[in-house]
Each structure stands twice: as structure tokens, then as C-alpha cells.
Amino acid sequence: MKGFRHSVAAGASLGVLALLGATPAAAQAAPAAAAAGQATASATVDQVQSGEVNEQDVIVTGVRESLRSAQALKRNADQIMDSVQAQDIGKLPDVNTTEALQRIPGVQIQRRYGEGATDFDHRTQPAVTVRGLTQVQNFLDGRAVYSASGGRAFDLEGIPPELLAGIDVYKNAPANIIEGGVGGAVNLRTRLPFDKPGQVVSLTARGNYYDRADKAGYAVSGLYSNRYDTGIGEIGLLVNAVFSKSNYRQDGLLAGPFGEARPGSIANAPANAKIPYGFEIYDDTGDRKRFGIAAALQWQASDDVLVTAQYQGTKYWFNRTGAYYYDFNNLPANQYNAAGQVTTYNTLPTPGAAFTFNKEGYATSGALSPQTFETGRFDQELWSASQNYVFNVGWQATDRAKVSFDVQYLKSYYNADRNGHVLSLYTRTGQNALTTPHSTGVVFDLRGKYPRWDVTNPTLLNSASSYTTPFIADSLQRNDADTLALAYDIEYNVDGGFLKKLRGGARFADNTIDLRGTWNGVCLTALGPNGACSAPAGTPLIPLSQNPQLAMKGPSKNWFDGNTVKGGLLYPAFPAGDGVWAQTKALYALFGAKTKDAFTPGDLNNQTEKTYTAWGVADYEFNLGSIRFDGGAGARIVRTDVTSRGTQFNSDGSSAPLALKNRYVRVLPSVNLRARLTDDFQMRFVYSRGLARANFDQLSTNITLNNPNQVNAATGRPSASSGNPRLSPIDSDNFDLTAEWYFAPAGSLTGGLFYKKVDGFLASGRVVGVFNGIAYDVNTVVNSGSGTVKGAEVAYQQFFDFLPGLLSGLGIQANYTYVDSNVENPFAGNNPNAPRQLPLEKLSKHSYNLIGLYEKGPVTARVAYNWRSAWLDQTTGSGANGEAQFARPYASLDASISVNVTEHIAMSIDAVNLNNRMNVLYIGTPAAPLQYQLNDRRFGLSLRATY
């Protein structure tokens, strides 16, 4: 295979790296095999560990080598793990860090705004699930990291993939892994100067095109690494930096939710006929910018001492314009009698209109009237950053003992400015679709490739004289977080016998987070701005014609399919200003209103969390007949001290500072047993106990006490509301059984069964709290749910080297995951129609990846197909009665081709979302669609030079 080539030196430096860990510490988070894999990005781990690599060996990079290296990590690890390796410097196989994870068995991702990402309004919900659980611990070079959003996850979508050498996913973490994930752990690995001999220079320029947004983006990255022999030992220096910008457009059409139609109101309708309440448009556009830098200094002070200092800094900007056009009929919900029969209907079919229905009685085409609309625009400007400082010393104290000391300081912030602006077809407060003068009919057709709807009076939607300006809003968020972590680990090799190695250590972490957030809404009427929205019914609203500059034409060009609201409509617009907050203040000034520019006590929460950890593992090895067994058994003991500081708001208007504390201790045992039945075939059994702490926003406390004289008749206590800093962590018992056949350096067939028993899921609930000497029923978040997650994974990869000629470059990767979950429904309550058990949210029962590979001579190509079955999107969704909301099966087709133009220059082309698959949400049954969504296809061209 022709391509860019490197020679990789073996010898003392690699030996020390493999033993001491160039990163914290294999002892704390990454096993020795993973540390070795990071130290030799060009060579396979098998070659490094067996001593097959020397200074004269030539190791070829590319997709084949990345698969070899990832397979070696999986094969030699002392735990169950999977990896994605960068094909070359600055080139993960996917152009988004989150999207690269979807190729790993057992991992599923969420897609938002054209990329693998989480929803802006739910930033504490990770975009990644491992075996169905969102409680996933995040590491950066083996050290625990989190963002300041208020959740526990690191903002993976904010990490430029060009910074990474690879990603590891730990499925069942042993005692030496930092606790924090019941689903698993994701480790992001950056590069180090001792990874390669001598000088390395790499530059990459990339351009992208986003077809729905019809805009271009770009990414520029560079890496410099070198090693120097000095009088005080060998010193290595590495700097890696990247800046990128991307665009997106997300088109969403909403239908419904559906309600029962009045009998006899539609000719030839089935007895169970259901029709949608109305229709909506989501028209999301925006851009992302990412900046990242990773710097590392390594010093081989002596044959026994390696000193490593690292800095990783990332900054992420996300700008979003969310324009919505939605039915706002303002009619009461259907009313039911004791027998469950509808007595009042709020579905409004057009008299005499023709309808079609599917087999389950849901309308697929028809007409509704009268319908009236509002349009809202909610702009959001997010900027977040993290800085991670690391200092590590590894010391080979004796021939048998090695020691690692690690210091980490992580500092991050998460800031957001948001606003809201609504235009309405209502002219007065208190109106509904039956009383407003500005209503219209709607025709719809949900059949065919694309659903569509339109209005019978398009002039109404385009005339500024039809609209009023009833509502504006503003919001600020300013979060800060920092962590100081100290770790000390020791490893001792035992000479001979059953016991091979003793490992142990201690860790202390001090986390501090400040959550600051406002929300301020103002109703606008002829009486002036009113934050209480208390104007009497019939009060005139302010005509848009007084400020016609506050409207803009919509929807976006060729929105969805060009056949919905073809006559156009108006969205809200903001006055000119430098950024979201300046535009918001200018909007408020027009109406004599004031934004909330400062944080008040109810907007603030400060938390400190200290963890004290000790762990130990005994590694063993023995033979039974011709079978060699090895593994480890150990435990991790963790004490967590939490203090949450907020404000207590009394019913008489007074307030007082509040500080609530919690402490809990957990013992987390683990056992790992591997049977090497042949040189190529092995099996593992693993058990561990894990925990996942509640998100910081759930632990915040600002308690509001209601009138103590108004009591609940059932309990005799008054009510209150608060966060809950006394939450216990979610606990899990995790079992794995695997079979692994490695028949070639980049060829394997592996499978596994897993089972998790999880306790302590979080849900809304009530606890009793005593304040001012009075017992209150406090509505808060509680540990209430338990459940099980079980499933199977199978993965296969191979290059078909035995084929003749050019066909010998063909290869394949394929994996399939089955996950079945069963958890208590925290929202079932006393509702007899609500299911008592549900699957986990965001979890597909079936998912698979099928990837075709080709690498021969200077050409590398890949076609990747990712599919997942239907999943529960939200336990309480947008249905008429809060029914569960599901997503239909989804698939994505991606492709790339790369050519090594010369020994040093490579060019690649890639495409994402080639199949332009539509995301579809539904309520209860696929026959009742709720939302259709389309995202960009991305096309990229990159040029990379490496010397």
C-alpha cells in the first residue's frame, strides 16, 4: 500500500510510556494497553507490545492501520472496550466527534441542527447513549471532565475532531476507572510528542457545503511535534490547533396532535376518526464555530522518570435563529364524561371537505377551519469554553514498582443570551379561533414523500396589517465551573505464582459550579408592557403596523418541499444590534419595556462537590489445562460531599440564604476474568458496580414556601417547590460475557451479552422538608425508578486480502446491537391509561452499522450506513393528554474517498446524510404523526499535508 509513511522507534522511550503512561495515568482511567496505543498511533499495539517495531520498521497509516490499532486496543485491554482511531493526523473517520461514536456497537447518538448533537434547550441531556443509558462518564486523556451547562457530560459536539488521536468507549468499567457512568465511559485521546520520533508537521484545510442552508463552511488545523536530545534528557513538544465554522438549516413540519372528530362532522369518516388540531412550521437556521488547541511537553528526565505537562483548550460558539409559525386556536381541550365519551370537541373540520384516513382512523388529508396563527422567533447565542491543565510524573521506582502522580485543573464556562418575539393574528386579548377576525382555512395532505399544508387565504399571512405584537422575552445564562483533581497511583509486579500485579491509588477532586440563569417575559397591549400578563380580556393588542420593521418574510427558500405555505408568511424580526442581547434591548426599548439585566437571588445557585476515592486491584493469571486465564479483581471506595447554596423564599415576601448538604459513600467492586482458549480466541466475564451522580441543575436549591395556612387535605402539610441536593446517585450492577475471535491483524468477529440492573432513576416527586419549624410537602426531583437493561452486541471486520488484484483492497465493518430496557414510568401517577413500565428514552431496541471499505495504493474509500429502529423520544410528549412521544426508524448514509497525491499530500472528499432521510416523530402509534424534519446534506473537500 502506497501512502504517507513513518518509522516508529521502539526502545526505552516506548517502554517507559507503556509502563508509566504518557497520560495520567493509566492507573486512574486508561489501562496500560490503552496508554501504549496512544503512544504509538502509527504502529499497532500488538507490534509495540511484542517488540516487533524498531527504528527501521516502516508503518503505514490509513484506514487499515486505524482498524488494526483499534482492534489491538480492544484485544489487549483488561476490560471491555471499543475504540475509534484517527486514520491520520487531523482525520477521524467522521467530521464530528459525536458522529464518530455512532460507529461503535452499543452506542447511539441524537441528531440536532444538522449534526450529531443535543438539543440547545436540553443541554444537560447528552447526545450520546451507551447501551441505552445517557449517564455516561466523559474523560479527556483519561481524566474526568464536564462542561458548565449544569449537566455531567462534556460538550462533545464542541470538541473539534481534528484534535483527537482516537476515542475509547469503556462498556463495563473496572475499579481503576473514575466513577460516574452507569452506561459506560467515553475517553477522548489527544496526541503527545513522544507518540512519534523526530519532527512531525501536519496542515489540513477543509471546505464544506450545506445544501439546505445553501452556505459553505470551513476548517483549518495544524500540528507541530518534535523531540530534542538535551543535556537534561530528551524533551518533546507538541502543539495542535484547529478553527472551524459550519452552517445548518433544519426544516420541521408539525401535524397535530390528533383529536377525536365530532361524529357526523366528516362525510364517510370511520367511527374512530381522528383529525389534527392544526399545523406548524419550524424553520431553524444557524452556525457553529469551534476553536481548539492542545499543547504538550514531555521530559524524559531519566530512564526512570517521565514528566508530562498538557494543556487542552476549546471554545464553542453556537448561533441559532428559531422561527416558528404555529396554529394557536386557543380552544379548550376535548372534554370527556365519566364514561370516557367526548362531550366537547376542539377539532374543527371544514364543513363538506373531503378527508382520507389510514387504517387506524387518523386523517391523512383534509381541511380545517377556522384556523388562526401566531409566529414566534427565538434567537439564541451560546458561547462556551473549557481549559484543562495537567501535570503528570511517572516514576519507575524499582524494577517492580512504578508510581504516578497527577494534577488536573479544569476551568469552564457556559454562557447564553436568548430572546423571544411573537406576532399574532389576534387583535385583542382573550380571543380564540372562533372570535378573531383574522382566521383562515387550512388544507393538508400527509401522503406521499413529503407532507404539506397550506392556507386558503394566503394574503392574510403576508399582510403586516393582520398582525399584532403581543409578547417579548429575554433570558441570560452565565455558568462557571472548575475542578481540581489530585491522583496518586502505584503498581507493583509480583514475582511468579497466581498473583501477578497489585495496583492501587487515591484520588481527590474538588468541583465548584455556579449556575446563573434568568427568564423574563413581557406581555404587550394597548395598556403598555405587563410582566404579569394580567390585562383584562378584550384589551386591544399593539398592531404590527406601528412597527412594520419587526417582521420579515418567510419561510426559508424552498422550505421542506416548496409546497407548504407557498404564498409565504411573516416571521418576527429584531431591530439591528451587535448580537442577540443588543437586539433584544433595542426591541424592548421600542415598547418601553426593560430587559432583566442582572441576576437576583432566585437566579443563582452555587455548589461544591468533593470526592474522596481509594481503589485497589489485584491482577492474576493461571492455567487450567491448556487454557490460560487472567484478569483482575478489586474495588473502588468513594465518598461524596455535596453542598448546594441558594435562597429560601418565604410566603410573606422575605428571603434568607440557604445551604443544604449531603454525603454518601459507595463501594464499587469489580471482577474481570479472561479465558484465552487459543492464540486467537478469547472470552471474558466482567462484573462491576457503578454510579452516576445527578446533574448539577437537579442538585440546585432555591426553595419557595407557599402559604403555611393552605394545607393539603390528604397530608395536612402546606406545599413548597425546590431542587433536591439530597439526591442519591443512580446505582447499577453490570454484567458482561463476551467471545472474541481475532483471525487477522485487522480482522475479528466478536460478540457479547450484557445485563444492567439500575436503581435510582430520577423523576418528579415529593418529599417532606422542615422550614421555619413547619413541615412542607416539597415538590422536587426524587430517586424513584428502577429498571433493567439487557442486550447483545456482535461486530465483524475484515479486509479481503485473499482477493486478486485491486479487489484485495476491499474490506468491511459491520456491527449490530440489541438492547431491551424496562423501567418504571415516573409519570404514570394515578392515570389508569398510562403504562407502568416503559423503555428508556432515546433508546432503539435494534441498531446496526454497515461500512464498506477500500484501501489500495494511494486510494482509500468508505461508505457507511447507520440504522436504528424506533425509539421513545419523550415519556410525556406533545399529545393531547401528554402521551408518550416516539421516533420512527432512522438511517444515515455517509461516504468518503481519499487519495494520497504524493508521499506528503492527501486529498479527500466526503458526504454526510446522502440519503436525505426524514426524521419523523409520532404520538403513541406511527399512524399519528407529530413532526417531520429534514436536515442538510454535507459535502466536504479537504487537503492535508504531513511532513
Side-chain angles (χ1 to χ4, degrees):
M1 180 178 64
K2 182 180 178 181
F4 177 63
R5 301 170 184 268
H6 286 297
S7 60
V8 177
S13 62
L14 285 177
V16 173
L17 284 173
L19 290 172
L20 297 181
T23 61
Q28 216 20 262
Q38 179 169 330
T40 56
S42 295
T44 66
V45 174
D46 289 320
Q47 291 170 310
V48 174
Q49 293 183 339
S50 65
E52 296 174 7
V53 178
N54 57 51
E55 293 183 358
Q56 283 72 46
D57 286 335
V58 176
I59 306 301
V60 183
T61 62
V63 64
R64 189 185 300 251
E65 189 53 48
S66 71
L67 295 184
R68 285 177 181 154
S69 181
Q71 177 172 301
L73 287 172
K74 177 181 177 72
R75 179 178 186 174
N76 296 311
D78 63 354
Q79 58 198 285
I80 295 174
M81 65 175 291
D82 285 283
S83 295
V84 175
Q85 298 288 86
Q87 296 175 20
D88 209 335
I89 295 172
K91 187 170 175 55
L92 273 178
D94 292 274
V95 295
N96 174 294
T97 300
T98 302
E99 290 173 0
L101 285 163
Q102 72 181 318
R103 312 300 176 191
I104 292 178
V107 177
Q108 296 175 0
I109 68 169
Q110 302 302 309
R111 294 179 180 274
R112 295 290 187 271
Y113 316 123
E115 291 188 9
T118 190
D119 194 304
F120 183 95
D121 297 315
H122 302 89
R123 302 294 288 184
T124 59
Q125 299 179 6
V128 174
T129 65
V130 177
R131 292 174 170 176
L133 294 163
T134 59
Q135 296 81 15
V136 177
Q137 176 68 295
N138 293 151
F139 299 133
L140 182 58
D141 285 330
R143 302 170 180 89
V145 288
Y146 65 95
S147 302
S149 64
R152 292 283 178 174
F154 203 45
D155 201 352
L156 295 180
E157 67 181 273
I159 303 297
E162 292 86 351
L163 287 185
L164 303 181
I167 309 174
D168 305 318
V169 176
Y170 306 128
K171 305 291 187 64
N172 194 330
N176 61 304
I177 296 290
I178 300 172
E179 76 289 341
V182 295
V186 173
N187 181 39
L188 308 178
R189 286 184 282 109
T190 62
R191 300 177 185 274
L192 289 165
F194 283 0
D195 287 356
K196 293 180 179 292
Q199 176 176 281
V200 179
V201 179
S202 179
L203 298 171
T204 302
R206 176 186 180 84
N208 291 315
Y209 174 73
Y210 307 85
D211 71 334
R212 195 161 292 276
D214 193 22
K215 291 183 177 180
Y218 62 89
V220 179
S221 64
L223 177 143
Y224 174 81
S225 178
N226 210 342
R227 298 165 66 160
Y228 309 91
D229 289 320
T230 72
I232 58 172
E234 186 177 17
I235 294 177
L237 173 67
L238 180 145
V239 179
N240 188 10
V242 57
F243 182 81
S244 65
K245 181 179 179 180
S246 61
N247 294 281
Y248 80 89
R249 196 180 100 193
Q250 181 173 280
D251 297 354
L253 185 154
L254 274 80
F258 284 74
E260 296 180 47
R262 182 187 297 275
S265 62
I266 302 173
N268 302 317
N272 62 338
K274 298 180 179 64
I275 62 175
Y277 293 160
F279 290 85
E280 303 180 16
I281 283 175
Y282 285 3
D283 197 346
D284 265 305
T285 59
D287 63 75
R288 298 173 170 94
K289 291 185 289 185
R290 299 175 174 94
F291 172 73
I293 185 169
L297 180 69
Q298 290 185 286
W299 174 30
Q300 191 76 61
S302 70
D303 290 342
D304 300 324
V305 177
L306 175 65
V307 179
T308 301
Q310 290 176 268
Y311 168 80
Q312 296 110 354
T314 62
K315 192 167 184 178
Y316 178 55
W317 298 264
F318 178 63
N319 298 297
R320 176 190 177 204
T321 297
Y324 309 99
Y325 205 92
Y326 50 93
D327 64 283
F328 194 72
N329 296 318
N330 201 22
L331 295 171
N334 286 357
Q335 303 296 310
Y336 297 83
N337 60 23
Q341 299 169 321
V342 181
T343 57
T344 302
Y345 296 83
N346 75 339
T347 52
L348 302 170
T350 300
F355 277 75
T356 61
F357 296 86
N358 59 30
K359 293 181 180 179
E360 296 185 42
Y362 292 89
T364 55
S365 67
L368 308 174
S369 65
Q371 294 277 294
T372 193
F373 293 91
E374 285 189 346
T375 172
R377 180 171 156 191
F378 302 89
D379 288 1
Q380 300 165 332
E381 186 175 15
L382 160 71
W383 63 105
S384 62
S386 67
Q387 297 185 82
N388 192 42
Y389 302 86
V390 172
F391 181 76
N392 177 267
V393 178
W395 176 34
Q396 187 75 41
T398 70
D399 290 343
R400 295 187 182 182
K402 57 186 177 182
V403 175
S404 174
F405 176 69
D406 196 77
V407 181
Q408 175 198 9
Y409 178 68
L410 172 69
K411 185 174 182 62
S412 60
Y413 65 77
Y414 180 94
N415 298 336
D417 293 343
R418 286 175 270 185
N419 60 26
H421 181 199
V422 173
L423 304 180
S424 177
L425 290 177
Y426 293 116
T427 60
R428 296 176 180 271
T429 59
Q431 290 179 325
N432 60 41
L434 300 177
T435 60
T436 179
H438 295 152
S439 60
T440 181
V442 166
V443 294
F444 67 93
D445 192 342
L446 306 182
R447 301 167 298 179
K449 182 178 180 180
Y450 294 117
R452 59 185 184 271
W453 65 272
D454 214 330
V455 296
T456 56
N457 182 7
T459 303
L460 179 69
L461 273 57
N462 285 282
S463 174
S465 62
S466 303
Y467 292 88
T468 56
T469 54
F471 183 76
I472 54 178
D474 62 277
S475 175
L476 289 174
Q477 189 170 1
R478 299 290 186 271
N479 295 349
D480 293 292
D482 60 74
T483 295
L484 175 65
L486 308 175
Y488 179 82
D489 305 299
I490 188 168
E491 184 175 305
Y492 183 79
N493 291 318
V494 180
D495 187 17
F498 171 82
L499 195 61
K500 293 297 182 183
K501 186 184 299 182
L502 296 174
R503 294 179 286 149
R507 182 176 183 269
F508 167 75
D510 185 357
N511 300 314
T512 301
I513 186 166
D514 285 287
L515 303 177
R516 310 177 188 94
T518 67
W519 172 255
N520 180 44
V522 178
C523 287
L524 304 173
T525 69
L527 300 177
N530 183 352
C533 296
S534 58
T539 303
L541 299 173
I542 301 173
L544 174 63
S545 56
Q546 291 185 12
N547 299 285
Q549 75 277 17
L550 298 183
M552 67 180 192
K553 288 288 186 180
S556 295
K557 182 181 177 181
N558 198 36
W559 183 87
F560 222 84
D561 61 350
N563 291 316
T564 292
V565 286
K566 291 180 291 186
L569 46 79
L570 296 184
Y571 288 141
F574 287 92
D578 185 13
V580 165
W581 196 246
Q583 293 173 352
T584 306
K585 292 187 74 66
L587 175 68
Y588 271 63
L590 281 175
F591 296 102
K594 292 184 177 181
T595 56
K596 187 174 182 180
D597 296 336
F599 297 105
T600 56
D603 305 323
L604 304 174
N605 176 252
N606 169 267
Q607 295 175 48
T608 58
E609 180 182 86
K610 294 180 170 64
T611 59
Y612 306 83
T613 306
W615 66 273
V617 174
D619 294 330
Y620 55 82
E621 184 177 289
F622 62 93
N623 292 324
L624 285 179
S626 61
I627 301 175
R628 182 158 60 103
F629 291 86
D630 61 15
R636 190 175 188 89
I637 304 173
V638 186
R639 190 185 90 181
T640 305
D641 293 343
V642 177
T643 302
S644 183
R645 298 175 180 85
T647 303
Q648 175 180 313
F649 297 94
N650 301 311
S651 60
D652 61 3
S654 63
S655 62
L658 182 70
L660 299 180
K661 297 186 177 183
N662 189 23
R663 171 180 291 179
Y664 51 87
V665 177
R666 293 290 188 273
V667 178
L668 309 175
S670 67
V671 177
N672 190 321
L673 176 66
R674 174 171 57 177
R676 304 193 187 199
L677 284 80
T678 69
D679 290 341
D680 299 325
F681 182 73
Q682 62 188 32
M683 297 185 69
R684 301 177 193 260
F685 169 77
V686 179
Y687 163 76
S688 72
R689 186 164 178 81
L691 67 81
R693 300 178 178 91
N695 286 340
F696 292 109
D697 62 337
Q698 295 167 321
L699 296 171
S700 68
T701 180
N702 279 306
I703 189 163
T704 300
L705 305 178
N706 296 321
N707 191 333
N709 297 319
Q710 296 178 354
V711 300
N712 184 322
T715 65
R717 292 184 290 268
S719 64
S721 59
S722 175
N724 189 359
R726 295 194 174 100
L727 288 169
S728 296
I730 300 172
D731 298 304
S732 68
D733 288 288
N734 316 300
F735 301 85
D736 273 85
L737 180 66
T738 72
E740 306 165 18
W741 178 31
Y742 301 100
F743 53 81
S748 60
L749 176 62
T750 62
L753 303 173
F754 58 87
Y755 176 84
K756 293 178 180 286
K757 187 177 185 301
V758 187
D759 184 57
F761 284 117
L762 304 179
S764 299
R766 188 171 63 190
V767 299
V768 177
V770 178
F771 302 92
N772 303 326
I774 301 173
Y776 287 80
D777 291 329
V778 183
N779 296 306
T780 185
V781 180
V782 298
N783 296 100
S784 67
S786 61
T788 60
V789 181
K790 57 187 176 182
E793 299 171 354
V794 61
Y796 162 69
Q797 70 178 31
Q798 182 177 11
F799 273 93
F800 303 114
D801 302 298
F802 53 84
L803 294 175
L806 295 176
L807 295 179
S808 63
L810 289 172
I812 189 173
Q813 274 187 295
N815 59 63
Y816 164 77
T817 303
Y818 169 81
V819 185
D820 184 29
S821 63
N822 190 29
V823 301
E824 297 176 16
N825 181 357
F827 302 103
N830 298 319
N831 184 351
N833 298 318
R836 313 323 266 186
Q837 300 290 126
L838 282 169
L840 288 166
E841 289 185 354
K842 316 299 183 186
L843 170 64
S844 294
K845 182 173 286 189
H846 306 276
S847 63
Y848 68 83
N849 286 282
L850 184 60
I851 304 172
L853 304 169
Y854 185 82
E855 188 167 71
K856 191 73 174 178
V859 178
T860 299
R862 186 182 77 144
V863 177
Y865 185 78
N866 174 269
W867 180 89
R868 58 183 300 190
S869 62
W871 67 90
L872 175 64
D873 186 63
Q874 295 182 35
T875 304
T876 55
S878 301
N881 298 303
E883 301 99 322
Q885 179 173 302
F886 294 86
R888 287 185 184 174
Y890 180 80
S892 178
L893 178 64
D894 310 329
S896 65
I897 183 168
S898 178
V899 178
N900 292 333
V901 181
T902 71
E903 183 181 7
H904 301 291
I905 304 296
M907 178 179 292
S908 62
I909 300 172
D910 56 69
V912 176
N913 189 29
L914 273 171
N915 55 333
N916 199 25
R917 185 69 168 256
M918 186 186 301
N919 295 278
V920 181
L921 300 179
Y922 60 89
I923 300 293
T925 168
L930 174 69
Q931 176 178 305
Y932 304 84
Q933 186 185 100
L934 288 171
N935 289 292
D936 295 281
R937 285 175 291 193
R938 305 200 309 264
F939 302 92
L941 173 66
S942 65
L943 187 67
R944 186 173 63 257
T946 307
Y947 296 90

